[in-house]
Amino acid sequence: MDQAQLNWLTNFIWNIADDVLRDVYVRGKYRDVILPMTVLRRLDAVLEPTKQAVLEMKAALDKEQITNQDDALRSASGQAFYNTSPFLLRDLKARSTQQKLKDDFEAYLDGFSPNVQDILTNFEFRHQIPRLSKADALGMLIEKFLDKDINISPFPVGEGSNIMPGLDNHSMGTMFEELVRRFNEDNNEEAGEHWTPRDAVRLMANLMFLPVADKIESGTYLLYDCACGTGGMLTVAEETLQQIARAHGKQVATHLYGQEINGETYAICKADLLLKGDGDAADNIVGGPEHSTLANDAFRSREFDFMLANPPYGKSWKSDLERMGGKKELKDPRFVIQHAGDAEYSLITRSSDGQMLFLANMLSKMKHDTPLGSRIAEVHNGSSLFTGDAGQGESNIRRWIIESDWLEAIVALPLNLFYNTGIATYIWVLTNRKPEHRQGQVQLIDATQWFKPLRKNMGKKNCELAADDIQRICDTFLAFKETPQSKIFPNAAFGYWKVKVERPLRLLSQLTRPRIETLRYASGDEDIRAALYDQLGDALFENPASVRPQLEQLVNDYGQGDSEPDDDEGESSTKKSLPDAKKKKLLSDASWKRDAQLIATATQLREALGDGLFEDHNVFLERVEVTLKKLGLKPGAADLKLIINAVSWRAEEAPAVIKKIHKPGKAQPDPLRGLFETKIDGKTCLVEYEPDSELRDFEQIPLLEDGGIEAFIRREVLPYTPDAWLVEADTKIGYEVSFTRHFYLPPQLRTLAEISADILALEQETEWLLSEITGGVAE
């Protein structure tokens, strides 16, 4: 069948929706009927020649009470699928009543093999039958697909000069993909969820295969897509590999594997492969809502030669994380690995965006013992380049990839290339068999300006990669040379140390009554406790049991009679009652007694030490310690800290607070690392200072920094904060990729001559306008 005939046939089926379903569904629901009916009609036509043989085999198997019948029935049908009902679609045309047609059609569906049942279930096609029957549209729909003017079967039909050619598997698959594309574009917002534009897929396939085109040998190759959608990436990749192999005189066999969580999309993918006659590939596609790639890996023990995907980005994977036991319990070897001396190196990203976990999943399936290893092409948005701090999942994945020297290139794509997003997107190209000239390096390609505009937008998509654009990108990739659009960097250029920099805590202290009084509500919920104290008085602290009934009533009623403005409308709304946990704490006698004891202890300290200002917090702490012993008071460490914090405040001019004094000879001075020499009681001592959390800072230092961390700190930190020190134990390594930094071109400023010319032109225009207003009379 030539292309014109194929286009005509596609249009005919496309128009069935408007002809039959216009009064039954809204337009967006047409595909829920047309796509499964297209599949059914093709399968029905393919099975027709062997229908009787299947029925006879079925009867024989039943007679012998054989339960596992699938292989025998497939053999009888000569296909990877079969139907054991007594009907073909043409047998259902002449049913006398709607109910009879509905019953027989359902029996016909029930006769299909399990793999087709899986497709129908995920299409949810059986849910459509009652509606079609009630609208008296089911019979008309079947008749349209059996129209004598079309031929969806693989066999020629007709007589003499009116013979219509058969539709081979490849043409059938092409037609089905075209229908899917049209329905997706008809519903643009949803299209991009499961349908990657073919121009982007062709580019990904070329980036994956071209570097090893001359190394592909005759043999079998496994292709994998972990978020396969409708299967377009797999089929385009397969076609590209076959073309390259033929061009190099090789014969290759390909096996496709995919996983897809969306049921309908999975059904489309599996149906497409069945229609193309690839039953084995259809069996290797796993999907449906229960088959999340992250939480339920369908190919745990498999490794693949080539992998590509367009995973969901910017989407939560929280439900998957919970099914996997949460961050603390997650031990999946795909996401908790060994790297950089860490036996539990975590690749677990934020639960709000799991796109990089799909990449980690594919990296776990690389072949490490074959000449070609594995090659990967995957689409991501910009967040995969830089989100995640050093030591967090996203950064750890980038670090693992780059330090393993697997990242060949990242290609920045044009904006608005995809149906459902206009944001920046990037293709990551990875391999565990980098050629020698690429080893230790990463190529960044800015292809954002290489595209052709579309005449009509398709959702957010307003441009495409034409054949010459794809060729230009691939040529740039293969050339591996520095150009304005191609930058090459050593791996370490993307890494950095995240270094914690501390400064000493400096405090003044004073045991004043107002500061001590703040301890009255040290247990928290100050506003609520203050309101309760206003009503119940000192009894709350001195004998809370005596006011227990009133306290319970006040706590239970708190806020219920009040109202507060609504954020959206400005109208008042009733406050909610207090949470049970907060109620329990407010009703706890121990919390009130604790706060009373804090005030009592602080008051005794004030009486002993006075309310004078302590300008050296170290002296204050010593005096407090001595006084507590003298008074026989033993507050807990947490309570003592509350008292100290309540009567102390930060002051730049105060001496630094000493955390530890080292014994002589046990350590050497090292101010850069927090070991300072100072005089205490006239003696030189080596001390560590208490860090001030409010002055804590973090420096991001490139791994390629000349002189390393120490040189950077001495040059960029100590001249401005000479009392700062770094905490080496908390240093972490992170990786990020900044396209903006490497490809940004500042706007070119106009010359003075151009500015002067513009000013002169404006002056002349102003004079002309003034002349028009005044009638040409000069002032």
Side-chain angles (χ1 to χ4, degrees), residues 373-642:
S374 296
R375 292 190 60 80
I376 296 172
E378 186 163 301
V379 180
H380 289 273
N381 69 3
S383 68
S384 290
L385 300 173
F386 53 81
T387 53
D389 203 352
Q392 294 181 342
E394 293 90 342
S395 180
N396 278 357
I397 292 174
R398 290 190 293 269
R399 180 185 178 188
W400 176 44
I401 290 170
I402 295 174
E403 289 185 349
S404 299
D405 202 17
W406 293 336
L407 182 60
E408 274 194 338
I410 301 178
V411 180
L413 299 174
L415 299 177
N416 302 304
L417 186 65
F418 292 79
Y419 296 113
N420 65 332
T421 181
I423 62 176
T425 51
Y426 303 81
I427 296 175
W428 292 51
V429 185
L430 306 97
T431 180
N432 57 351
R433 290 290 186 276
K434 269 190 182 182
E436 186 175 351
H437 69 284
R438 283 185 177 270
Q439 289 175 10
Q441 300 178 91
V442 175
Q443 182 180 19
L444 302 184
I445 298 174
D446 179 12
T448 55
Q449 303 306 311
W450 297 343
F451 62 86
K452 298 293 185 294
L454 294 176
R455 287 180 295 177
K456 180 182 178 182
N457 287 11
M458 293 187 293
K460 297 286 180 62
K461 183 177 175 65
N462 66 7
C463 65
E464 66 177 349
L465 298 172
D468 57 334
D469 296 315
I470 293 174
Q471 187 65 50
R472 188 176 184 183
I473 295 170
C474 291
D475 288 346
T476 302
F477 173 58
L478 295 173
F480 194 61
K481 293 180 180 179
E482 287 270 351
T483 71
Q485 288 78 34
S486 171
K487 307 290 185 181
I488 299 170
F489 302 92
N491 288 343
F494 304 106
Y496 62 90
W497 292 290
K498 182 184 178 183
V499 178
K500 182 193 287 187
V501 178
E502 300 280 21
R503 294 183 62 194
L505 181 66
R506 300 173 185 274
L507 298 174
L508 300 177
S509 306
Q510 191 171 19
L511 287 158
T512 62
R513 289 187 184 277
R515 290 186 177 278
I516 292 173
E517 186 63 23
T518 62
L519 293 166
R520 187 174 295 279
Y521 312 117
S523 293
D525 303 312
E526 180 177 348
D527 292 342
I528 301 175
R529 287 179 181 267
L532 295 172
Y533 177 58
D534 287 342
Q535 297 194 54
L536 300 179
D538 290 335
L540 262 178
F541 294 96
E542 296 169 359
N543 187 10
S546 67
V547 291
R548 182 75 182 187
Q550 299 96 308
L551 178 62
E552 289 182 354
Q553 185 67 42
L554 289 170
V555 169
N556 288 327
D557 294 344
Y558 186 84
Q560 292 190 2
D562 299 333
S563 61
E564 59 183 5
D566 185 274
D567 289 340
D568 297 325
E569 304 296 335
E571 298 178 358
S572 63
S573 59
T574 302
K575 285 184 179 179
K576 294 181 179 179
S577 61
L578 297 174
D580 290 341
K582 186 169 289 190
K583 285 183 181 180
K584 183 178 180 180
K585 189 175 180 180
L586 291 169
L587 293 173
S588 167
D589 290 354
S591 69
W592 295 100
K593 289 180 179 179
R594 179 207 187 203
D595 292 350
Q597 185 59 50
L598 290 173
I599 294 174
T601 301
T603 300
Q604 288 179 273
L605 286 171
R606 180 179 181 276
E607 291 171 353
L609 297 175
D611 60 358
L613 177 66
F614 285 85
E615 296 183 349
D616 188 334
H617 190 70
N618 300 297
V619 173
F620 176 68
L621 291 177
E622 289 178 6
R623 297 287 300 277
V624 167
E625 183 180 357
V626 170
T627 303
L628 288 174
K629 288 181 179 179
K630 187 180 296 184
L631 296 174
L633 299 175
K634 296 181 179 180
D639 288 349
L640 180 58
K641 186 176 181 179
L642 284 172

Side-chain angles (χ1 to χ4, degrees), residues 211-284:
V212 293
D214 58 346
K215 296 181 177 64
I216 292 174
E217 299 293 339
S218 296
T220 301
Y221 294 91
L222 307 186
L223 281 63
Y224 171 62
D225 184 344
C226 60
C228 65
T230 56
M233 279 195 176
L234 286 172
T235 55
V236 170
E238 181 181 41
E239 291 168 3
T240 305
L241 177 56
Q242 292 285 358
Q243 290 170 2
I244 290 174
R246 285 195 297 270
H248 287 78
K250 307 295 182 182
Q251 290 185 336
V252 299
T254 53
H255 294 295
L256 308 183
Y257 294 80
Q259 188 161 351
E260 170 58 41
I261 192 171
N262 180 277
E264 182 189 22
T265 311
Y266 157 66
I268 291 172
C269 178
K270 191 163 185 172
D272 184 36
L273 292 170
L274 271 183
L275 296 179
K276 290 175 178 174
D278 197 342
D280 289 338
D283 289 340
N284 291 333

